[in-house]
Amino acid sequence: MSSSYKQPFKLQLWLLLAALTLTACGQNTKPSRSWEVASQGLYAAAISPAGDLVVVGSLNHGASLWRTPEHERLFNWSHQAGEYVELVAAGFSPDASRAITTDPRTLVLWDTATGKSLNYWATPGVVLDVALFNDNRLALLGLDNHSALVFDAQTGAYRQTLLHEGQVGSVAVSQDGELALTGSDDNTAVLWRLNDASAQHTYTHGNPVRVVALTATGRYAFTAAQGDLVALWDNDSGRQLHEIHNSISHGVISAAFSDDERLLAIGYTSRKVALYEVASGRLLQTWDPGVRHALRATGAAVLDVGFTANDSKILAITGDGRLLELARN
């Protein structure tokens, strides 16, 4: 058999094995519950660490805070009176008592219990991502000016600047605020020690790094490059633990670790959600929420994923305005 015939056979075999593996892992499981959080669609969304709150930025109605167990809209938020905010990023403090929302040039810190705005600041560059930490005081901003900025959301002071050679589109911070992970268009993800802004490890990819995530303790990292490496890392050694291989591995748009650091949930531009075991890198389960309107399909990229308090369920927010509850097998 000539080489021109070997590749199609290998490809068919690979596709067959992949299909069997994914079927065994429960591919295309449907959500157990679904709620509408926006009538048309969303710009951005964030799920709190315990999964009890979500903030969304809708296309037509600005930002809002929801309580997930009751599917209750708590507050509508805007950066300027009488105007709907077009969110580019949002996040919660580790205890979810505060939320932060950003449009490209301003950020607002909110009290999630009262819905009141606590501080409003202009930003030094276009914000692409945000993480809130250190007793609700500090925010890590991923900016288009090739930097990530540690920003004091109480005083407006700039604490530290973490430099890249490309825009920083994704950021994450450990729960204790000691480690930060930044993903950049310079094809790297960098793990930083925030006490002195030193780079501990650099994880090199072949394309821009679009999504990063850290476990609560900062022990493990997840990075996803556009059309390239999608991997789990050991932050103590800087060693790659697993490269994620499956048919939906390209188009990662969101990721989150479970609180006990055993599980990793990944959201994709293709509407899929996948659950992995951190220790082995094994694919455990996948979900496909489908489209919201069969005759009026809209984009349904999974903008954020998270876990409920006991890690028994996964939550996902899709770009077409749905909050999904995904039950584990």
Side-chain angles (χ1 to χ4, degrees):
M1 183 179 293
S2 69
S3 60
S4 62
Y5 291 94
K6 292 180 181 178
Q7 185 59 33
F9 175 76
K10 290 181 179 179
L11 179 59
Q12 291 173 14
L13 180 60
W14 184 89
L15 290 173
L16 175 61
L17 291 173
L20 291 173
T21 300
L22 290 172
T23 299
C25 293
Q27 186 186 28
N28 296 337
T29 302
K30 297 300 180 182
S32 54
R33 291 198 291 175
S34 175
W35 304 275
E36 179 182 298
V37 292
S39 60
Q40 296 296 322
L42 301 173
Y43 288 112
I47 299 170
S48 68
D52 54 338
L53 296 172
V54 300
V55 61
V56 300
S58 71
L59 300 182
N60 298 325
H61 303 291
S64 56
L65 181 72
W66 294 73
R67 181 180 289 118
T68 57
E70 297 83 6
H71 184 234
E72 176 187 9
R73 188 200 300 261
L74 299 176
F75 307 109
N76 293 322
W77 288 339
S78 181
H79 286 197
Q80 294 187 33
E83 295 184 12
Y84 291 136
V85 60
E86 296 181 359
L87 291 189
V88 294
F92 287 93
S93 61
D95 64 1
S97 66
R98 300 290 186 267
I100 192 166
T101 58
T102 73
D103 62 25
R105 285 290 186 177
T106 63
L107 65 84
V108 179
L109 184 67
W110 305 89
D111 185 317
T112 59
T114 65
K116 301 296 185 182
S117 61
L118 301 175
N119 297 98
Y120 174 98
W121 303 104
T123 61
V126 174
V127 179
L128 303 176
D129 198 16
V130 63
L132 190 61
F133 65 103
N134 195 33
D135 295 330
N136 317 320
R137 185 181 186 93
L138 299 181
L140 180 63
L141 309 179
L143 302 173
D144 72 335
N145 64 6
H146 300 190
S147 72
L149 182 69
V150 178
F151 180 80
D152 191 322
Q154 301 290 335
T155 67
Y158 305 151
R159 294 287 192 88
Q160 293 167 320
T161 301
L162 312 176
L163 293 176
H164 276 268
E165 294 182 1
Q167 65 181 18
V168 179
S170 186
V171 299
V173 183
S174 62
Q175 198 168 78
D176 61 10
E178 292 185 3
L179 295 173
L181 185 64
T182 54
S184 172
D185 278 8
D186 65 9
N187 299 355
T188 69
V190 178
L191 183 72
W192 306 85
R193 290 200 173 277
L194 290 182
N195 62 341
D196 59 3
S198 62
Q200 181 174 356
H201 299 298
T202 297
Y203 302 132
T204 302
H205 300 64
N207 282 324
V209 178
R210 297 302 191 201
V211 179
V212 300
L214 277 175
T215 57
T217 66
R219 179 182 179 185
Y220 300 116
F222 170 80
T223 62
Q226 180 179 341
D228 189 62
L229 181 64
V230 178
L232 282 162
W233 307 84
D234 183 316
N235 287 333
D236 289 336
S237 65
R239 181 174 60 89
Q240 181 181 308
L241 293 176
H242 309 291
E243 187 171 345
I244 304 299
H245 290 288
N246 64 75
S247 62
I248 56 174
S249 63
H250 298 307
V252 174
I253 194 171
S254 56
F257 287 97
S258 61
D259 192 55
D260 63 8
E261 305 189 340
R262 294 176 54 248
L263 302 171
L264 170 70
I266 302 176
Y268 298 87
T269 57
S270 59
R271 300 193 308 268
K272 304 286 197 303
V273 176
L275 181 68
Y276 286 87
E277 184 179 64
V278 172
S280 66
R282 182 168 61 97
L283 176 64
L284 300 176
Q285 193 172 353
T286 62
W287 296 265
D288 185 348
V291 295
R292 181 172 169 182
H293 303 291
L295 299 180
R296 186 163 52 88
T298 57
V302 181
L303 300 180
D304 199 22
V305 289
F307 290 84
T308 56
N310 57 6
D311 296 336
S312 63
K313 297 182 179 68
I314 291 90
L315 299 176
I317 304 178
T318 59
D320 59 2
R322 291 177 292 167
L323 170 64
L324 309 174
E325 181 185 87
L326 311 174
R328 293 176 53 195
N329 287 338

